[in-house]
Amino acid sequence: MEKELKIANYDVRSDASIKEKLWVVIPVVLLIGLLSTLIYKHHAEFSIEGLVSGFDSDFLMFFAIGAFAQLVDGTLGMGYGATSTSFLLAYGVPPVISSTGVHVAEMFTTGASAISHHKFGNINKKLVKHLLIPGVLGSIIGAYLLSDVISGDVIKPFIAVYMIVLAVIIIRKALAKTIVKKKTKKLGYLATFGGFMDAVGGGGWGPIVTSTLLGRGRNPRYTIGSVNAAEFAISFASGITFMLFGGIHGWQVIIGLILGGVIAAPLGAYLVNKIKRKPMMVAVGILIILLSLKTLSKLL
C-alpha cells in the first residue's frame, strides 16, 4: 500500500513537473521556429553587408526604444506597445511599419518576458487561460484590418489620439486611491477588446487589460506576470497575421526593438516588485502624451 502511494505521488509530481516545463518549452520552441523561418525566407536581407550598413544611429535609437519600452512593460505590466509606438511615430516611422515592427518584435520580447516572469513565480495560470483565446482572436482581427483594409496614413492621427487616451488611463490608474477588490467579470470580452486595440493601435493590451484588472483590486505581481505571459500568444497571433497579409517591412526597426527588448526583459521581471509603481506610471503616461502630441503636430 505504501509503495503504491509513493508511486502515485511520484506520478503527480512528474505530471506537475512536465506542465511547469511546458510554460518555458512552448515559448522557446515557437521562438526558435519563428527565427528559423524568418532567416530562411529573408536570408538575403540578413547578409553581412546589409547588417553592417543597418548598424547606424537609427538602429541604436530603435534598440534604445525597445529596451526602454520593455522595462516599462515588464515592471508596470503595460506600456510596451504604447511607449514604443509613440516613440516610433514621433521619430517618423510610418504606422504600418511601426505596428508590424512592434508586434514582430513583441513575439520575441514577450516570449522572453513570459519565461522571466515564470522564473520569478509571477504567473497566475488560471488567469492566463481566461485571457488567452479571446485575446488572440481580437489581435488577429485587428492585425488583418490594419494590414489589408485600413490605410496607415488615414489612421495615423487616430492612433496618436488613442495613445493619449491610453496614457490618460495609465495616469488615472496611478492616481487612484485605495482600490477595493471586486470580482472581475467578462474577462473574455476584456481580452478580445484589448487584443483588437493592441493590434490596430500598436499598443493597448497592457493599459486596457492590466489597468482594468489592477483597478478591480487584483494582486499587482500576479496580474502583471499573467498579462505579460498571455501577451506572448496575442503578439504571436497578430505578428503572424501581419506577416501573412502585409509582409514584413522595416527590418532595422524590428531587430533593434527585439535586441533591446530581449536584453531588458529579465530586468523588468526582476524589478516588478522593487520599484514604486505610481510615480513611474505617471511619468510614462506624461511621456506618451508628449510624444503623441508631437506626432499630431506634424500632421496638422
Side-chain angles (χ1 to χ4, degrees):
M1 183 68 177
E2 187 177 340
K3 186 176 181 182
E4 290 176 354
L5 286 173
K6 286 182 179 179
I7 293 173
N9 288 333
Y10 176 79
D11 290 339
V12 170
R13 287 196 301 270
S14 180
D15 289 342
S17 177
I18 291 172
K19 289 179 180 179
E20 284 295 313
K21 289 178 181 178
L22 286 177
W23 285 86
V24 175
V25 171
I26 290 175
V28 169
V29 170
L30 287 174
L31 291 177
I32 291 174
L34 173 64
L35 186 61
S36 302
T37 303
L38 291 177
I39 292 174
Y40 175 74
K41 288 185 173 293
H42 302 275
H43 61 275
E45 299 173 55
F46 289 96
S47 63
I48 299 298
E49 294 80 7
L51 291 174
V52 171
S53 63
F55 191 78
D56 54 18
S57 58
D58 287 339
F59 174 82
L60 293 177
M61 175 61 73
F62 301 142
F63 176 89
I65 291 172
F68 178 70
Q70 185 56 45
L71 277 177
V72 170
D73 191 76
T75 52
L76 298 182
M78 64 182 82
Y80 180 89
T83 304
S84 54
T85 300
S86 298
F87 268 112
L88 291 172
L89 290 177
Y91 198 66
V93 178
V96 174
I97 292 179
S98 172
S99 192
T100 303
V102 167
H103 284 91
V104 173
E106 276 191 310
M107 294 163 80
F108 291 90
T109 58
T110 55
S113 182
I115 293 169
S116 300
H117 277 294
H118 179 266
K119 181 180 178 181
F120 288 108
N122 299 338
I123 294 177
N124 179 329
K125 293 164 189 174
K126 186 177 179 181
L127 178 58
V128 174
K129 291 174 183 176
H130 280 300
L131 297 174
L132 213 57
I133 294 177
V136 165
L137 291 176
S139 69
I140 289 173
I141 295 170
Y144 168 71
L145 290 176
L146 184 61
S147 60
D148 207 45
V149 178
I150 303 172
S151 168
D153 292 332
V154 172
I155 201 175
K156 189 171 184 177
F158 295 100
I159 294 175
V161 172
Y162 170 60
M163 289 300 160
I164 293 175
V165 173
L166 291 184
V168 171
I169 291 174
I170 292 172
I171 294 172
R172 186 171 66 85
K173 294 295 182 183
L175 298 178
K177 295 182 179 179
T178 304
I179 298 172
V180 179
K181 187 171 184 179
K182 302 174 184 177
K183 187 176 181 180
T184 309
K185 299 179 180 178
K186 299 181 180 178
L187 274 174
Y189 292 110
L190 175 66
T192 302
F193 179 67
F196 176 81
M197 294 307 295
D198 187 82
V200 171
W205 173 256
I208 291 171
V209 179
T210 304
S211 64
T212 299
L213 295 178
L214 291 178
R216 307 295 289 184
R218 280 184 172 266
N219 182 288
R221 173 185 173 186
Y222 294 111
T223 298
I224 292 169
S226 302
V227 173
N228 269 268
E231 191 175 14
F232 171 64
I234 278 72
S235 299
F236 211 90
S238 57
I240 293 293
T241 306
F242 276 121
M243 290 181 193
L244 291 175
F245 291 100
I248 302 178
H249 310 284
W251 280 107
Q252 193 181 40
V253 174
I254 293 171
I255 294 174
L257 292 177
I258 289 173
L259 291 178
V262 169
I263 290 172
L267 181 58
Y270 171 74
L271 292 174
V272 69
N273 275 330
K274 306 292 182 182
I275 65 164
K276 292 183 178 180
R277 291 175 47 76
K278 289 191 176 184
M280 187 171 178
M281 287 175 74
V282 171
V284 169
I286 292 172
L287 176 62
I288 292 172
I289 289 174
L290 293 175
L291 290 169
S292 299
L293 288 175
K294 181 181 178 182
T295 299
L296 284 173
S297 68
K298 291 181 179 179
L299 299 173
L300 298 177

